[in-house]
Amino acid sequence: MKSEQEGDYLEEDASQENGIIQPTQYSSISPPASPVEQDEPFSTYFEEKVHIPENGNQVFSFRKLWAFTGPGFLMSIAYLDPGNIESDLQSGAKAGFKLLWVLLVATIIGLLLQRLAARLGVVTGMHLAEVCNRQYPTVPRIILWLMVELAIIGSDMQEVIGCAIALNLLSVGRIPLWAGVLITITDTFVFLFLDKYGLRKLEAFFGFLITVMAVSFGYEYVLVKPDQGELLKGMFVPYCADCGPVQLEQAVGIVGAVIMPHNIYLHSALVKSIYSLLLVPEVDRKNKKEVKEANKYFFIESSIALFVSFLINVFFHLSECNATGSPHTDLFPLNNGTLEVDIYKGGVVLGCFFGPAALYIWAIGILAAGQSSTMTGTYSGQFVMEGFLNLRWSRFARVLLTRSIAITPTLLVAIFQDVQHLTGMNDFLNVLQSMQLPFALIPILTFTSLTSIMNDFANGLVWKISGGIVILVVCAINMYFVVVYVTALNSIPLYVLAAFLSVAYLCFVGYLAWHCLVALGVSCLDFGSRVRNTPAMLVEEQSECDP
């Protein structure tokens, strides 16, 4: 059974399994068959129809923006997970407001990358994992899936542990870390099934959690009363006076914490789900005007969502605290040095400065951040696994499997690690996610640059060059972060292991980069690459670079 759009495939040998087209070479692609067309019914995440209002010849319509609202705000929650919060706290403790401009730049770069992810979902009707499944050979595809899963597990551990720490603070230590982990995993199962009651109800729940974060952390920000002049200076002046290696490492950590690899996969999947499954047949993907309009509104919504997340991140840059009179004086350095702040100590700092109410409000905000990001992380795991492996399971089976993958390492950390000493684990998880960045950034630039996939919506020259530079810079920054972390281990066996893994890692990144360069038009590298930037029947092999 084939859909009408399958005629768009060019010069390919394709087999069809369970309603999924499996091309044997790179070519133009069309969306997978809809759930209705498949032999067996498949339960999608969002089955509620959303009407798109007609706006005539209006350039902009708030009613139409509301119809497209949802994916950007769900995606932006990843910018507010406990790992980001801890990075912001450390930045405020070590550099004050001097690195806020790094946070602003990282958020803008994140927005541009999310734009590419959204466009892929709108134009192709598939998310990034599905495109990777169709376009990469089997072995690279499996390796890519495993790398993305590692990033999701690392992020998931931070989020679940963050919820557990919040529950520990709210219960004044009565709920141990391991119990908080079990509670978080259990209630995540419950909350994830809210989509059964409709898309807008699910979005309203996430909106409620974002509002709780904004109110909680905004309240703390008002209590601290930071110097607004210094804040604005740190936000818009790209300079860090009297900064050394510690502040440089912190700046690198901010970029690594903000730009998360699995979030690229998540956003393309959310856009694809809403645009493809909810709005059809009201939107015709072959209608360039409607596709362009959808791209516009999704970009506007993402911009608003990331602006809100940026403001909440700014709230975390709090001032210093004097430990005198605090019941947690054992957490503070005896030499009056800088406190290694994490989300647990952040609550203690506020509590020692402003009283128990500030601590509890902080914990409520952390709980909202951890719970919301845990849910979106679970969605990421489901989309990635289904896309790469062509899984078509029931909703419960998908949630159970993706939750189970992360529960074991998280529980082990919760059982054997003290709640007051989790900074080292968080640093390791940030490094782990930083290493996975190329496995999202390179594929998204590759596929959005191919006219055989994106047609008239493929990246232009400016986007190809700027996208390539951004990805190169981001990957270089994060590799620096990894090198700094590894050299601080001071262990010869670990150095040898790191060197061995680095060779394999760089070889695979080089493989993806090769395909990306061919997609960007560097034809002299097109020796055996499956990438074709024009329809396959029109491609002529070239042995030299084009002038």
Side-chain angles (χ1 to χ4, degrees):
M1 174 174 51
K2 295 185 179 181
S3 64
E4 295 178 359
Q5 292 172 323
E6 287 170 20
D8 294 336
Y9 281 80
L10 298 174
E11 205 171 305
E12 63 181 352
D13 295 326
S15 62
Q16 187 172 353
E17 299 177 5
N18 300 325
I20 303 298
I21 303 299
Q22 298 285 358
T24 58
Q25 68 177 26
Y26 274 91
S27 62
S28 61
I29 58 177
S30 51
S34 67
V36 177
E37 293 173 335
Q38 293 179 1
D39 295 332
E40 298 181 3
F42 174 59
S43 174
T44 60
Y45 298 96
F46 314 113
E47 298 172 351
E48 176 186 350
K49 298 295 181 182
V50 176
H51 173 68
I52 300 180
E54 295 293 335
N55 62 342
N57 295 323
Q58 288 180 292
V59 177
F60 177 80
S61 167
F62 282 104
R63 292 180 61 205
K64 183 162 285 192
L65 176 62
W66 174 249
F68 285 93
T69 295
F73 280 92
L74 268 65
M75 167 273 297
S76 71
I77 287 173
Y79 289 73
L80 299 169
D81 74 340
N84 273 315
I85 295 174
E86 187 158 320
S87 176
D88 292 330
L89 288 172
Q90 288 284 1
S91 176
K94 295 178 180 179
F97 301 117
K98 297 176 183 178
L99 296 178
L100 275 177
W101 65 271
V102 178
L103 176 64
L104 177 61
V105 171
T107 303
I108 293 173
I109 291 175
L111 174 62
L112 298 179
L113 294 172
Q114 299 297 344
R115 174 185 180 270
L116 296 181
R119 286 171 67 87
L120 182 71
V122 170
V123 175
T124 67
M126 294 188 291
H127 56 76
L128 182 55
E130 290 176 326
V131 177
C132 290
N133 175 55
R134 289 174 173 233
Q135 304 290 16
Y136 285 124
T138 302
V139 173
R141 182 173 70 241
I142 297 300
I143 296 175
L144 192 60
W145 167 63
L146 292 174
M147 294 298 100
V148 178
E149 285 291 349
L150 275 178
I152 293 174
I153 291 173
S155 176
D156 203 42
M157 289 180 67
Q158 289 178 315
E159 294 154 0
V160 174
I161 292 291
C163 285
I165 290 174
L167 292 172
N168 182 272
L169 287 171
L170 288 171
S171 65
V172 197
R174 293 187 180 90
I175 299 179
L177 205 60
W178 63 267
V181 168
L182 292 177
I183 291 172
T184 301
I185 292 173
T186 302
D187 62 32
T188 298
F189 274 102
V190 176
F191 291 142
L192 280 171
F193 285 91
L194 284 175
D195 63 19
K196 179 180 179 181
Y197 299 99
L199 171 66
R200 290 308 187 192
K201 292 183 177 64
L202 177 69
E203 292 173 350
F205 179 70
F206 278 105
F208 169 74
L209 293 177
I210 294 175
T211 302
V212 170
M213 284 186 272
V215 172
S216 300
F217 300 131
Y219 171 80
E220 309 285 5
Y221 181 83
V222 172
L223 276 183
V224 173
K225 297 178 181 177
D227 187 326
Q228 300 302 307
E230 289 297 316
L231 184 145
L232 292 174
K233 179 181 177 182
M235 187 181 300
F236 296 108
V237 178
Y239 180 70
C240 186
D242 303 320
C243 290
V246 173
Q247 288 75 22
L248 177 60
E249 292 176 18
Q250 194 58 48
V252 172
I254 291 174
V255 177
V258 169
I259 304 174
M260 306 176 72
H262 66 279
N263 208 28
I264 306 295
Y265 288 87
L266 172 65
H267 195 201
S268 65
L270 291 171
V271 167
K272 173 252 182 177
S273 296
I274 291 178
Y275 188 67
S276 297
L277 301 180
L278 299 183
L279 304 178
V280 171
E282 293 191 38
V283 175
D284 183 3
R285 183 170 284 104
K286 295 181 180 180
N287 187 318
K288 294 180 182 178
K289 180 181 177 181
E290 292 186 353
V291 172
K292 185 177 180 180
E293 184 178 61
N295 284 328
K296 178 183 73 174
Y297 281 107
F298 277 129
F299 180 70
I300 293 173
E301 187 237 0
S302 297
S303 301
I304 296 172
L306 290 188
F307 175 72
V308 173
S309 71
F310 172 74
L311 290 182
I312 296 176
N313 274 294
V314 170
F315 292 157
F316 298 134
H317 287 69
L318 304 174
S319 63
E320 300 176 357
C321 173
N322 189 328
T324 304
S326 170
H328 302 278
T329 52
D330 57 307
L331 297 179
F332 295 84
L334 298 176
N335 61 355
N336 201 32
T338 300
L339 174 66
E340 290 290 331
V341 184
D342 54 32
I343 55 179
Y344 176 78
K345 296 172 185 174
V348 172
V349 166
L350 289 167
C352 83
F353 212 148
F354 300 106
L359 186 151
Y360 293 133
I361 293 173
W362 168 265
I364 291 172
I366 295 296
L367 182 62
Q371 188 62 72
S372 58
S373 56
T374 299
M375 293 170 65
T376 55
T378 303
Y379 275 129
S380 298
Q382 295 174 63
F383 285 129
V384 165
M385 185 172 291
E386 291 166 11
F388 276 107
L389 303 183
N390 273 342
L391 294 182
R392 291 295 181 268
W393 293 358
S394 68
R395 179 187 286 111
F396 178 79
R398 297 194 303 266
V399 175
L400 181 62
L401 179 60
T402 51
R403 282 288 83 192
S404 300
I405 290 177
I407 188 175
T408 302
T410 306
L411 269 178
L412 290 175
V413 169
I415 293 172
F416 296 106
Q417 186 68 276
D418 185 81
V419 70
Q420 300 179 9
H421 303 90
L422 292 172
T423 301
M425 183 206 72
N426 190 68
D427 290 342
F428 170 76
L429 293 176
N430 281 337
V431 169
L432 178 65
Q433 293 177 78
S434 296
M435 293 184 67
Q436 312 312 316
L437 267 176
F439 307 129
L441 304 190
I442 294 177
I444 194 64
L445 181 62
T446 299
F447 298 131
T448 54
S449 297
L450 288 170
T451 54
S452 58
I453 292 177
M454 300 292 289
N455 299 315
D456 294 337
F457 295 94
N459 295 330
L461 181 61
V462 173
W463 268 99
K464 288 180 180 179
I465 295 175
S466 58
I469 293 174
V470 165
I471 290 175
L472 182 63
V473 170
V474 169
C475 291
I477 287 175
N478 284 281
M479 286 308 299
Y480 171 81
F481 188 38
V482 172
V483 170
V484 169
Y485 180 84
V486 171
T487 53
L489 296 176
N490 295 321
S491 172
I492 299 299
L494 290 178
Y495 290 159
V496 174
L497 177 62
F500 175 78
L501 294 176
S502 296
V503 172
Y505 173 84
L506 291 175
C507 286
F508 187 56
V509 171
Y511 172 84
L512 296 179
W514 166 49
H515 282 284
C516 184
L517 289 172
V518 173
L520 294 177
V522 185
S523 56
C524 63
L525 297 178
D526 189 8
F527 44 89
S529 171
R530 300 170 71 217
V531 172
R532 293 294 182 268
N533 203 21
T534 55
M537 65 178 63
L538 301 178
V539 173
E540 296 181 0
E541 298 294 337
Q542 297 178 340
S543 59
E544 296 183 281
C545 288
D546 292 334

